């Protein structure tokens, strides 16, 4: 566990502990000496609690060392491109971002070292470019999974989020972080900083019996097991702190007002959302009708299936295959229904402001690189490139 404290003079101190109990002890000691602490009611709604204080912040929980501190400090650094107002920008206020990140001589430059290089990968969230794998490796303190993901995206022209933008912890308030830590501690029955299936089922049995005064039946147990599998995305049989946060952070953010989430988007993300809105708004009147949404999703799913079936014509697959056409129709119907829920006033159309508010949580959730989320390890050929370039840098 990591605790960050700030003295009266503004100096920040970082403390690392091997267990949460020691971290809480440090917090309580600081609370006793602090005149700015504000006690609050505990989770039972009755017991006063002094864990939440103004000058001390629990940063994160993990058994690691400097990597955790670096990740949290990067997450808590304000992003210059992030809007500060909760107001949804109007269509006129939203400008198309220039994705050309070039230096004085017309060559792309790396934000980490400031040099130009052939193997640059661009972050789709903030728009900055960085060397891969060389500078990504240094930026993440040698995290091979993140480094390999950046290299893989460069090789395939797939979208990529840099370590700073991918780290959604910076979007959480201190109170939200404490709530996540307490939830993790509740599930970690044997206090080994890991949530096993056995831990998870014990917690579910205990809370279910306390609430409903009976034991869980077989169907409910199977549901709990399925819920654990959704938490355990890498399928390792246990859930660590980072996996737990990854699974809960979007849920925590979705509890906020939608207009507040819009303020978390960067200009690049808003620009991409504007392009997406244009693709739906066929008559360019600033509103998306039900029929326009249906047409757009039909094109998208037809194009997707054509790639799966390797068809030259995007409409060939659905048209010639009744079963496939039925499945495409079902997907379109579900997605259009979800899309039109943004029309809260039931006018039959979705405006730009409604669209951006409704899509903001999905845009933020999409910042995570899937390979990092599922902890996909580097392949042998990727390891060769990473080792070659990082070794060359050390020699130079």
């Amino acid at each position: 566990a990591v605790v960050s404290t700030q003295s009266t003079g503004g100096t920040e101190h970082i403390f690392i502990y091997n267990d949460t109990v020691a971290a809480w002890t440090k917090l309580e000691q600081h609370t006793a000496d602090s005149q700015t602490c504000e006690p609050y009611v505990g989770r039972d709604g009755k017991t006063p609690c002094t864990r939440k204080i103004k000058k001390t912040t629990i940063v994160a929980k993990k058994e690691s060392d400097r990597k955790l501190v670096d990740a949290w400090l990067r997450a808590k650094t304000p992003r210059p491109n992030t809007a500060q107002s909760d107001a949804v920008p109007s269509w006129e206020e939203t400008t198309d971002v220039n994705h050309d990140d070039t230096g004085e001589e017309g060559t792309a430059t790396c934000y980490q070292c400031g040099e130009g290089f052939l193997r640059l990968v661009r972050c789709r969230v903030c728009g900055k470019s960085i060397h891969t794998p060389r500078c990504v490796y240094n930026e993440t303190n040698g995290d091979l999974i993140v480094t390999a993901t950046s290299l893989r995206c460069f090789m395939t022209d797939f979208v990529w989020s840099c370590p700073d933008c991918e780290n959604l912890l910076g979007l959480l308030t201190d109170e939200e972080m404490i709530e996540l830590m307490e939830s993790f501690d509740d599930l970690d029955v044997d206090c080994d900083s890991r949530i096993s299936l056995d831990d998870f089922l014990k917690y579910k049995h205990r809370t279910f019996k306390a609430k409903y005064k009976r034991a869980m039946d077989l169907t409910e147990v199977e549901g709990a097991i399925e819920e654990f599998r959704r938490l355990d995305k890498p399928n390792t049989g246990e859930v660590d702190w980072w996996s737990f946060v990854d699974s809960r952070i979007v849920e925590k953010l979705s509890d906020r007002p939608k207009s507040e989430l819009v303020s978390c988007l960067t200009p690049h993300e808003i620009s991409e959302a504007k392009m997406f809105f244009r693709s739906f708004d066929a008559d360019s009147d600033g509103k998306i009708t039900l029929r326009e949404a249906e047409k757009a999703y039909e094109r998208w799913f037809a194009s997707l299936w054509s790639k799966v079936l390797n068809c030259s014509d995007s409409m060939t697959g659905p048209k010639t295959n009744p079963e496939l056409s039925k499945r495409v129709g079902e997907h379109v119907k579900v997605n259009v229904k979800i899309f039109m829920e943004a029309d809260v006033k039931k006018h039959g159309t979705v405006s730009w402001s409604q669209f951006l508010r409704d899509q903001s949580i999905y845009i933020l959730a999409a910042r995570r690189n899937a390979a990092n989320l599922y902890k996909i390890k580097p392949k042998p050929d990727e390891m060769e490139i990473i080792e070659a370039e990082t070794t060359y840098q050390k020699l130079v």
Side-chain angles (χ1 to χ4, degrees):
V2 180
V3 177
S4 169
T5 66
Q6 189 174 28
S7 64
T8 305
T11 304
E12 185 178 35
H13 303 279
I14 300 292
F15 301 90
I16 303 177
Y17 298 92
N18 292 328
D19 61 274
T20 312
V21 176
W24 282 128
T25 302
K26 176 64 182 177
L27 285 176
E28 290 166 358
Q29 290 174 352
H30 186 75
T31 303
D33 298 334
S34 175
Q35 297 181 354
T36 60
C37 63
E38 293 182 351
Y40 73 107
V41 178
R43 283 169 290 166
D44 58 3
K46 300 176 182 179
T47 307
C49 181
T50 57
R51 288 178 178 174
K52 176 185 175 185
I53 58 180
K54 281 186 177 180
K55 294 298 181 182
T56 303
T57 303
I58 294 187
V59 177
K61 172 175 179 170
K62 196 184 177 185
E63 294 177 306
S64 67
D65 45 16
R66 195 66 216 172
K67 288 184 181 180
L68 173 61
V69 180
D70 290 342
W72 177 256
L73 292 179
R74 287 201 308 270
K76 297 302 286 184
T77 302
R79 311 223 201 286
N81 287 337
T82 302
Q84 298 299 319
S85 173
D86 287 351
V88 178
S90 66
W91 183 267
E92 293 74 19
E93 293 173 335
T94 307
T95 58
D96 295 331
V97 175
N98 181 10
H99 296 273
D100 183 22
D101 184 21
T102 57
E104 295 180 357
E105 299 179 358
T107 58
T109 56
C110 170
Y111 75 85
Q112 212 265 353
C113 68
E115 299 177 359
F117 200 70
L118 290 177
R119 207 190 300 273
L120 280 167
V121 62
R122 185 189 304 277
C123 174
R124 63 187 176 88
V125 179
C126 65
K128 297 186 298 186
S129 296
I130 187 171
H131 294 154
T132 178
R134 192 183 74 181
C135 290
V136 175
Y137 183 87
N138 294 334
E139 180 88 356
T140 58
N141 293 314
D143 191 320
L144 290 174
I145 292 179
V146 176
T147 304
T149 300
S150 68
L151 180 62
R152 198 175 300 124
C153 290
F154 172 83
M155 295 294 191
T156 59
D157 289 329
F158 200 73
V159 293
W160 178 74
S161 299
C162 70
D164 287 343
C165 294
E166 185 185 22
N167 188 359
L168 297 181
L169 286 175
L171 301 179
L172 294 181
T173 63
D174 296 335
E175 290 78 9
E176 289 170 332
M177 177 59 71
I178 290 174
E179 289 174 5
L180 283 178
M181 291 187 67
E182 290 178 338
S183 298
F184 184 88
D185 286 339
D186 286 341
L187 291 167
D188 184 17
V189 178
D190 55 6
C191 301
D192 63 348
S193 297
R194 295 286 189 276
I195 302 172
S196 65
L197 178 59
D198 187 52
D199 288 340
F200 191 79
L201 290 178
K202 284 180 180 177
Y203 173 79
K204 284 292 184 179
H205 278 295
R206 186 174 71 246
T207 54
F208 187 92
K209 191 170 184 178
K211 184 175 182 179
Y212 298 103
K213 309 302 181 184
R214 65 175 179 85
M216 298 171 66
D217 59 29
L218 181 60
T219 303
E220 290 158 344
V221 171
E222 291 175 349
I225 294 174
E226 183 62 30
E227 184 180 350
F228 177 82
R229 288 173 179 166
R230 289 195 296 270
L231 287 173
D232 182 24
K233 288 184 174 65
N235 197 27
T236 60
E238 59 182 14
V239 179
D240 61 10
W241 166 247
W242 285 124
S243 296
F244 178 77
V245 169
D246 286 336
S247 64
R248 295 296 193 210
I249 194 168
V250 175
E251 178 183 332
K252 183 67 66 177
L253 289 172
S254 63
D255 292 335
R256 296 186 190 176
K258 292 182 178 180
S259 58
E260 184 178 332
L261 295 179
V262 173
S263 68
C264 297
L265 302 178
T266 65
H268 278 78
E269 289 175 312
I270 295 176
S271 177
E272 290 291 334
K274 190 174 182 178
M275 293 172 60
F276 186 81
F277 187 89
R278 281 199 191 105
S279 68
F280 274 60
D281 185 16
D283 56 5
S284 302
D285 64 347
K287 298 176 182 179
I288 299 174
T289 64
L290 175 65
R291 186 55 186 158
E292 285 177 330
E294 289 174 344
K295 285 289 186 181
Y297 276 113
E298 285 173 2
R299 289 195 305 270
W300 189 84
F301 280 111
S303 176
L304 177 64
W305 280 110
S306 69
K307 293 178 180 178
V308 173
L309 299 174
N310 195 24
C311 301
S312 57
D313 182 2
S314 62
M315 297 303 294
T316 299
K319 282 184 177 180
T320 58
N321 189 326
E323 180 62 26
L324 181 57
S325 179
K326 181 181 177 181
R327 292 178 64 181
V328 169
E330 290 173 352
H331 284 294
V332 169
K333 184 177 180 180
V334 171
N335 282 270
V336 168
K337 181 180 179 181
I338 296 173
F339 181 87
M340 294 305 294
E341 287 177 357
D343 177 26
V344 292
K345 296 183 179 180
K346 305 303 178 184
H347 290 162
T349 59
V350 175
S351 65
W352 162 246
S353 59
Q354 291 173 331
F355 170 81
L356 194 58
R357 285 195 192 97
D358 202 64
Q359 294 295 314
S360 57
I361 185 63
Y362 303 109
I363 296 172
L364 292 173
R367 286 185 180 182
R368 291 304 316 268
N369 296 307
N372 297 343
L373 192 61
Y374 289 89
K375 294 181 172 60
I376 300 176
K377 296 181 179 180
K379 299 177 181 177
D381 57 334
E382 294 169 342
M383 278 301 304
E384 289 181 8
I385 297 175
I386 294 171
E387 290 175 356
E389 292 202 12
T390 53
T391 302
Y392 173 78
Q393 184 187 12
K394 291 177 182 179
L395 293 174
V396 174

